[in-house]
Amino acid sequence: MSDLLKGLNPDQQRAVTHQGTPLLVLAGAGSGKTRVLTHRAAYIISEKIAKASEVLLLTFTNKAAGEMKIRMQKLLAGSPADTAQLWAGTFHSFSCRLLRIYGSEIKLSPDFVIYDADDQENLIRSLLADTHYTVKEFKPSSLIYYIENAKNNFISPRSAAAQASGFWESTAARIYGLYQKALERNSALDFSDLIYKTVDMLSLNPALAQIINDKYRHILVDEYQDTNLTQYLLTKILAGKNRRITAVGDASQSIYGWRGANYKNLTSLTADFPETTVINLERNYRSTQVILDAANAVISQNRSHPVLNLYTLRLSVDPISLFQANSELDEAEYISQKILALESRDIPFRSIAVLYRMNSQSRVIEESFLKNKIPYVLIGGLRFYDRAEVKDVIAMLRFVQNHHDELSLGRLNKALGKRRTDIFVGQINTINKKTSSLTILKTAINLSGYLSKFDPTNEEDNRRLENIEELKSVATSFPRLSDFLENVALVQNEYSLQEKNKDKTNKNGVRLMTLHASKGLEFDAVFIAGFEEGILPHSRSLIDQNELEEERRLCYVGITRAKDFLFITFATRRLQFGRSSFGQVSRFLKDIPETLIKIDQISGIKLNPDEDTGFIYDPDIF
């Protein structure tokens, strides 16, 4: 026991050793939550409070589950049998296991198959054809989103039909019902069904639920703020009469609301289990106090959830660097030059991250890195010109430029379909190749009908649309189509050169990623680019207070990824989606005390190619 508690602070020790009531651990960023969760599981086993087979660890990703298993193996090194009997996995893998064993209770074959995204889309398309609707009227991606959202909120097809309002929702609910019947005929489940069906099965059969309660006497759940309703209901059922549940989470790091995650499940837990003990973990082991003070100042503006006040015992001297660029090009160049300076101070590229709110922001940064020969790797995404929607539009423009380009024509056939491609090719001579790249781009997209593939209300489709819009910025920078395509080819050639050094790049490259993708990671130095209204916070969140609070949580997550150095950049003028406009500094910057910030003035970066002035900054930023 003494070894398990060694090195833990008093609050962590309380969380690890607590017994007698349900436990909610509110764990701030960098406070060692995974360590607490695994040490608690090991403590329960080593103190003979429960057998390893009676302990269940639930998390969200296979990677996180794998890391937990590795930690448990080290903590229980003297009892390899205990480690083998411990279940640590995702909500979905655990649910799948229960359904394979007990699914017959709801007339589910143990040999059921699991449909992936392609299977789902093909099934939806066949159902639309059967009901005489077209994919133009009801996009498969929108219907899949609707069905997944219903299942995540434990809404059956019958309930969805009863709640539907308007033609679209009523039809979507009908398709949902047909979709479920088709899955049943095929003895298949989709990904969302795994948890939905498990909750349904255990809810309908209290005796079975009690068997599961007796089998798993201690339930430990990670990232509780990211649970949706069905996941919450599952953990509530699993806790059952034993009420031995430990939930670890932080409302301030809840950033997946668009995916159904609901940080209010933290308070629902204490309402459903009123005897719950709450322990706050506020000591941070990652960042300097300057960085934590900035993070605390930003998140303290949220009013809808508990906010922890993070502190550290680490001494800090470096303030946050703030750079006001004249354009997105200057912003990218500043980031490049600062990264080169950090690397010269023996901070490896792999320990540096550039974070941004929108995938489309990566293009300018990538091109600056290629120019400055800075190795990089994109986390959780593809390089800008490797993204399918970007390659599709480039193929259109290449075919406009050269009607004999069979490779581009082949891509268009796959992207648009044969019929729509034939229509596009038939109208291609109406495009005046002597006009600007931007005009040609807009005309080609309109003639192709390509944008009808995407649903602006779908988060993933919206990211694709933003990438297509970002191509307009490239077109604006290269007015002649031949120059535009030549620039694309040159950048893609640089991609190819980096691809040859892929292994080396993956080890040593700067990490580029969205703020969403950065959760759970940490870096010596972090750059947050595009600290502007309309970007961070995103324009879609400005009229909804709940969405605005989630944007603030996203900003908080980004800030708390930094260990030693934090750089914030914004541009007074930005060419975005083919339009140049003046930017307004993010409201989140105004939340950060001026005493924590150093205005970075770098005369080496020329802010306006037509002027020889040095750095000009707005003295009224604060």
Side-chain angles (χ1 to χ4, degrees):
M1 184 181 75
S2 58
D3 288 342
L4 284 174
L5 300 181
K6 190 182 295 182
L8 300 179
N9 67 43
D11 289 330
Q12 290 174 329
Q13 289 183 10
R14 280 180 59 218
V16 166
T17 60
H18 174 78
Q19 299 297 321
T21 66
L23 176 64
L24 174 61
V25 181
L26 297 179
S31 64
K33 68 174 180 61
T34 305
R35 188 181 190 199
V36 166
L37 203 64
T38 51
H39 275 68
R40 178 164 172 75
Y43 177 86
I44 289 169
I45 295 167
S46 64
E47 292 298 299
K48 312 296 184 187
I49 297 166
K51 299 174 184 176
S53 60
E54 296 173 327
V55 176
L56 174 64
L57 278 163
L58 289 176
T59 187
F60 281 85
T61 66
N62 288 317
K63 180 183 177 184
E67 289 174 355
M68 282 186 180
K69 288 175 184 175
I70 291 170
R71 291 197 190 203
M72 292 300 296
Q73 286 169 356
K74 292 178 179 177
L75 292 171
L76 298 172
S79 307
D82 283 342
T83 306
Q85 293 172 14
L86 178 83
W87 175 268
T90 65
F91 281 92
H92 292 94
S93 62
F94 177 71
S95 296
C96 187
R97 183 188 196 191
L98 291 186
L99 290 173
R100 295 285 186 201
I101 300 170
Y102 304 106
S104 59
E105 297 283 341
I106 51 172
K107 299 179 181 179
L108 180 65
S109 166
D111 300 320
F112 66 82
V113 295
I114 301 172
Y115 277 9
D116 62 17
D118 287 340
D119 297 326
Q120 287 179 275
E121 182 168 336
N122 289 334
L123 178 54
I124 291 289
R125 285 178 179 274
S126 69
L127 292 172
L128 285 171
D130 291 344
T131 50
H132 307 293
Y133 290 114
T134 68
V135 294
K136 197 167 185 178
E137 292 171 300
F138 292 91
K139 294 182 178 65
S141 61
S142 299
L143 290 170
I144 291 169
Y145 180 78
Y146 171 85
I147 292 169
E148 287 180 347
N149 187 59
K151 291 180 181 180
N152 288 342
N153 286 286
F154 203 58
I155 298 172
S156 67
R158 181 177 292 182
S159 297
Q163 297 173 19
S165 62
F167 174 69
W168 193 94
E169 269 195 19
S170 297
T171 307
R174 181 187 170 204
I175 296 292
Y176 176 20
L178 295 172
Y179 173 86
Q180 283 306 110
K181 288 178 181 176
L183 288 177
E184 289 169 13
R185 284 196 306 272
N186 295 322
S187 191
L189 301 179
D190 63 24
F191 204 54
S192 299
D193 267 332
L194 293 173
I195 303 175
Y196 180 94
K197 290 289 187 182
T198 303
V199 172
D200 193 36
M201 176 179 71
L202 296 177
S203 299
L204 293 171
N205 194 332
L208 175 59
Q210 188 58 52
I211 291 172
I212 304 301
N213 294 159
D214 292 339
K215 181 174 176 58
Y216 299 105
R217 294 174 52 217
H218 284 268
I219 317 298
L220 295 89
V221 190
D222 194 17
E223 304 285 12
Y224 209 68
Q225 77 281 350
D226 291 336
T227 53
N228 58 37
L229 180 59
T230 51
Q231 289 163 336
Y232 176 77
L233 292 174
L234 177 60
T235 59
K236 183 180 173 183
I237 292 170
L238 291 174
K241 294 178 182 178
N242 294 330
R243 304 174 84 79
R244 298 190 187 99
I245 183 171
T246 299
V248 179
D250 179 14
S252 297
Q253 295 184 76
S254 180
I255 59 173
Y256 301 119
W258 48 275
R259 240 165 36 187
N262 190 350
Y263 64 86
K264 293 180 181 177
N265 288 340
L266 292 165
T267 52
S268 294
L269 183 73
T270 56
D272 286 332
F273 299 89
E275 74 275 29
T276 296
T277 298
V278 180
I279 296 176
N280 292 348
L281 300 183
E282 296 181 306
R283 180 179 171 184
N284 176 284
Y285 290 87
R286 176 189 301 152
S287 308
T288 66
Q289 192 62 54
V290 168
I291 292 169
L292 295 181
D293 286 345
N296 290 336
V298 169
I299 200 62
S300 66
Q301 301 303 312
N302 275 8
R303 298 287 181 261
S304 65
H305 56 80
V307 172
L308 300 173
N309 187 40
L310 301 183
Y311 72 93
T312 183
L313 301 183
R314 293 184 62 199
L315 296 175
S316 58
V317 292
D318 288 286
I320 296 165
S321 295
L322 174 67
F323 183 72
Q324 176 184 328
N326 193 53
S327 70
E328 75 285 352
L329 298 176
D330 297 325
E331 178 183 55
E333 184 63 19
Y334 166 81
I335 292 170
S336 291
Q337 295 305 318
K338 276 293 181 180
I339 286 173
L340 291 171
L342 288 168
E343 201 266 343
S344 71
R345 294 171 58 183
D346 295 326
I347 297 176
F349 287 134
R350 65 177 178 274
S351 297
I352 302 171
V354 181
L355 311 180
Y356 36 80
R357 175 63 180 86
M358 301 183 295
N359 269 302
S360 56
Q361 288 175 259
S362 77
R363 179 188 65 84
V364 178
I365 299 168
E366 286 183 68
E367 292 182 11
S368 178
F369 281 8
L370 291 169
K371 184 186 76 173
N372 287 287
K373 294 182 171 51
I374 297 174
Y376 71 93
V377 58
L378 271 147
I379 304 295
L382 293 169
R383 293 174 294 194
F384 184 78
Y385 288 111
D386 284 343
R387 295 165 192 167
E389 62 277 8
V390 173
K391 291 172 81 73
D392 290 344
V393 176
I394 294 297
M396 285 181 215
L397 298 181
R398 283 177 174 155
F399 195 75
V400 169
Q401 178 81 353
N402 174 14
H403 299 350
H404 302 291
D405 185 351
E406 293 183 359
L407 199 63
S408 292
L409 182 62
R411 184 170 188 97
L412 291 181
N413 276 316
K414 290 181 180 178
L416 303 174
K418 184 71 169 61
R419 186 182 63 82
R420 189 172 282 177
T421 300
D422 289 343
I423 294 171
F424 175 69
V425 171
Q427 296 177 311
I428 206 166
N429 288 327
T430 64
I431 300 176
N432 184 356
K433 290 196 288 186
K434 293 183 180 179
T435 56
S436 70
S437 298
L438 183 59
T439 301
I440 295 169
L441 174 65
K442 289 178 178 178
T443 305
I445 289 174
N446 288 336
L447 289 177
S448 69
Y450 184 66
L451 297 186
S452 65
K453 292 179 60 171
F454 307 108
D455 177 7
T457 63
N458 179 282
E459 188 74 21
E460 185 60 38
D461 279 3
N462 211 287
R463 283 195 285 268
R464 293 189 177 105
L465 289 169
E466 286 175 346
N467 288 331
I468 294 169
E469 286 288 304
E470 181 60 20
L471 274 173
K472 294 178 181 178
S473 297
V474 186
T476 303
S477 301
F478 297 91
R480 290 175 56 194
L481 183 59
S482 59
D483 292 340
F484 173 95
L485 293 174
E486 182 180 320
N487 174 72
V488 171
L490 290 172
V491 173
Q492 288 177 321
N493 182 59
E494 292 288 346
Y495 281 178
S496 298
L497 292 174
Q498 194 182 81
E499 192 69 19
K500 291 177 182 177
N501 297 317
K502 189 172 182 179
D503 291 339
K504 183 179 178 182
T505 298
N506 283 340
K507 285 182 180 178
N508 299 322
V510 174
R511 272 47 181 166
L512 264 65
M513 70 193 82
T514 63
L515 286 157
H516 281 101
S518 72
K519 188 168 177 290
L521 304 177
E522 61 181 40
F523 304 93
D524 291 343
V526 167
F527 293 78
I528 304 180
F531 226 71
E532 299 150 40
E533 290 289 296
I535 297 179
L536 183 66
H538 196 284
S539 57
R540 294 197 305 272
S541 70
L542 298 179
I543 60 173
D544 186 301
Q545 186 59 33
N546 289 328
E547 291 185 10
L548 188 58
E549 287 211 354
E550 180 152 321
E551 291 290 303
R552 188 175 280 109
R553 293 194 291 271
L554 190 59
C555 179
Y556 171 84
V557 166
I559 291 172
T560 54
R561 299 312 93 194
K563 294 164 70 174
D564 298 304
F565 303 101
L566 177 63
F567 301 82
I568 293 173
T569 65
F570 69 98
T572 54
R573 191 177 185 91
R574 186 177 293 273
L575 178 62
Q576 189 180 28
F577 307 152
R579 297 181 297 275
S580 182
S581 58
F582 287 102
Q584 181 181 351
V585 65
S586 170
R587 68 191 69 193
F588 301 152
L589 181 60
K590 297 175 182 179
D591 294 334
I592 302 174
E594 185 177 356
T595 53
L596 303 177
I597 289 178
K598 174 191 71 176
I599 302 291
D600 218 343
Q601 302 181 52
I602 298 185
S603 58
I605 295 178
K606 196 172 182 181
L607 298 180
N608 188 325
D610 299 322
E611 297 177 7
D612 288 323
T613 56
F615 180 85
I616 302 173
Y617 69 93
D618 180 358
D620 298 320
I621 287 172
F622 299 99

